[in-house]
Structure formats: structure tokens, C-alpha cells
Amino acid sequence: MTVKELAEKIGAEILTGKKSLDREVDGCYIGDLLSWVMGRAEMDNVWLTVMGNLNSIAVATLADVSCILLTENAALDNNAKARADMQDIAVLRTEENSYKTALKISELLKEAD
Amino acid sequence: MSVIHLTYEVSGDDFTRAGEASGLVKSKLKKLGYNKDAIRRVAIAMYEAEINMVIHADGGVVDVDIYPDKVEVVLADKGPGIPDVEKAMQEGFSTAPDNVRNLGFGAGMGLPNIKKYTDEMKIDTVLGVGTTMYITVLVKQ
């Protein structure tokens, strides 16, 4: 499943990173503490968080996750949006909370297998 | 002799620029064709160390040496030094101030993450003088 397919299937809004939408999604990680995410998230994971700041974009880039998915309509800061566009990081947003979103992702990943 | 030597200055107290140096090293390694896992390990370890410099030491200097089989990073700062390195290495131990925690840092995972993602890690620290960290990531092509 690609980031674009994920966005379509869960009805998430695509905020940035149009060039990265073809990236494959493999697994999911939920967390807002950035070092925790860097220590535990795996490459190609969808990262569910409410942290939409500049540092989140750096973490997504360096930890090489497939995209950031902001849950509960969390805000994406303007400078973070600009950086995400510059670095081709896909940022999606949904109004659902992380738990409900992760359940959906789990189903979709099972279907895709 | 390293294949490529890079030097970056990390400015203190500027979280918006933290990660720039590690981002540049990441793109450089990608262009050179290093494997993805090694690139990710270097990038994360270096970012954590950069963040530490920003939070605790008012910035510093990062030297990166890229060899065919390894990447070495030396991060030197003139900060306060680390009073108890063993304690600082424990997961969850943090002395970061609240404003830093609000940004999502200060989970006490920085040094443990660096250790986790690198093959060698050494810290030289002198109270009141500064800290130098040496990290090495081995690259399996």
C-alpha cells in the first residue's frame, strides 16, 4: 500500500509531500516524544502523532518513515509545512484519534498482505 | 585518510536549525550509494547528538569522516560537561528544561539512541570545559 492509497482509504487530507505519495507503507508507529520515535519507529512506518512542528519533519526525514499522519486534526506549523515541502516529506491529517486510525491501518495492511 | 571530510557548526538554542547537519550528511551518503540502514543509523545518532548540543551546550562543531566501510562523527562542544555519564546513558534520565520538552524532546532517550544505532560510542567530558563525543557506524555494503 502506498501513502496515497492509505490517505484515500482512511479519508486523510494530504497536506504536503506530493512527490512522496508513491512511497510504500510498512507498519505503523505512534508517539509524540521525538527521541522515543527515533529509537523505536522503523523505516517505512506510518508515524501517527500530534506533533506538527519543525522537529517532527527532521525526525521523519532522519528516521526515514514513509509519512507523518497527524491525528485529531493536530496543527502543522507553517515553517514545518514549508520544510516538509522542501524535503518531500508527506504529511497527512485526519480528525480521528491515533487509536482508531491505527486500527484502520492495521486492517488495511492485513488486506494488502 | 577518509574519502570525504565534512565540518558543520551547530548553533546553540536554535531548534529550528537542529538536524540541518545530519540532513546534509544523510543526502551526501545517499548520493554516495551507502546502504539505507547505515544512512539511517548515522542520521539518527548525529541528530540526537546535535540536539544535545543545542539543548545543553550552546552549540558546537561536528566533524564527519566518511570512509568506504564506516562513518565517523566527532561532536565537540564547550558546554557544562556531563557530571555522571553512566546516569546520562540511562533511558528516561533527562535534565532538559520544560521548553525543550514541549517541543517533544527531553525524553531521556538521546544518548541511549546514539548507543543503540552506532557501533562505537565514546564520550570525553570535563565539567566546565565541554564534551566531545566520538561515534562510529560500520557500513556493510
Side-chain angles (χ1 to χ4, degrees):
Chain A
M1 178 168 61
T2 63
V3 171
K4 189 175 183 208
E5 287 165 348
L6 170 76
E8 281 164 2
K9 284 180 178 162
I10 65 171
E13 184 187 355
I14 297 167
L15 303 177
T16 68
K18 296 215 159 46
K19 279 187 203 158
S20 304
L21 298 179
D22 289 336
R23 200 170 158 169
E24 279 294 315
V25 168
D26 185 12
C28 171
Y29 189 85
I30 306 174
D32 302 316
L33 287 172
L34 301 181
S35 289
W36 210 279
V37 175
M38 279 194 286
R40 303 282 203 268
E42 290 172 14
M43 202 184 285
D44 300 329
N45 280 178
V46 186
W47 173 24
L48 271 53
T49 184
V50 292
M51 283 295 235
N53 65 25
L54 206 46
N55 304 110
S56 309
I57 308 302
V59 167
T61 308
L62 301 170
D64 218 2
V65 296
S66 59
C67 66
I68 297 175
L69 176 45
L70 294 170
T71 54
E72 306 197 54
N73 267 337
L76 178 64
D77 296 349
N78 284 336
N79 56 2
K81 185 179 184 305
R83 182 77 62 90
D85 274 328
M86 203 169 73
Q87 302 195 331
D88 291 328
I89 296 293
V91 180
L92 316 179
R93 183 160 61 195
T94 176
E95 57 185 25
E96 297 256 49
N97 69 24
S98 292
Y99 171 66
K100 284 183 181 161
T101 308
L103 285 177
K104 282 187 187 169
I105 293 172
S106 165
E107 285 304 314
L108 290 169
L109 286 173
K110 269 187 226 157
E111 280 172 27
D113 255 347
Chain B
M1 275 278 288
S2 64
V3 177
I4 294 169
H5 178 88
L6 307 163
T7 301
Y8 302 97
E9 267 192 45
V10 176
S11 49
D13 218 23
D14 187 355
F15 286 95
T16 59
R17 292 193 58 199
E20 273 184 15
S22 25
L24 290 168
V25 169
K26 187 188 171 184
S27 344
K28 190 84 196 169
L29 292 172
K30 214 170 164 183
K31 275 187 200 134
L32 291 168
Y34 280 73
N35 84 49
K36 272 178 138 182
D37 174 66
I39 295 176
R40 184 173 186 268
R41 291 192 295 129
V42 171
I44 292 177
M46 196 174 148
Y47 182 53
E48 290 282 16
E50 259 189 82
I51 289 291
N52 279 347
M53 280 178 152
V54 175
I55 297 175
H56 300 289
D58 198 27
V61 177
V62 187
D63 282 287
V64 183
D65 281 294
I66 302 172
Y67 299 86
D69 59 339
K70 65 179 176 183
V71 179
E72 288 179 351
V73 186
V74 179
L75 302 108
D77 69 55
K78 295 190 172 94
I82 306 169
D84 187 341
V85 174
E86 207 178 310
K87 204 168 179 184
M89 289 298 300
Q90 287 171 11
E91 284 194 5
F93 179 81
S94 174
T95 57
D98 284 348
N99 65 326
V100 170
R101 289 170 201 264
N102 291 340
L103 293 170
F105 294 109
M109 295 290 287
L111 292 179
N113 275 351
I114 296 171
K115 189 165 178 59
K116 176 179 175 180
Y117 285 121
T118 58
D119 295 287
E120 278 172 50
M121 172 188 187
K122 187 172 146 266
I123 297 172
D124 282 343
T125 185
V126 180
L127 288 183
V129 178
T131 300
T132 303
M133 190 190 294
Y134 304 84
I135 52 184
T136 304
V137 172
L138 300 177
V139 181
K140 292 171 204 87
Q141 291 295 353

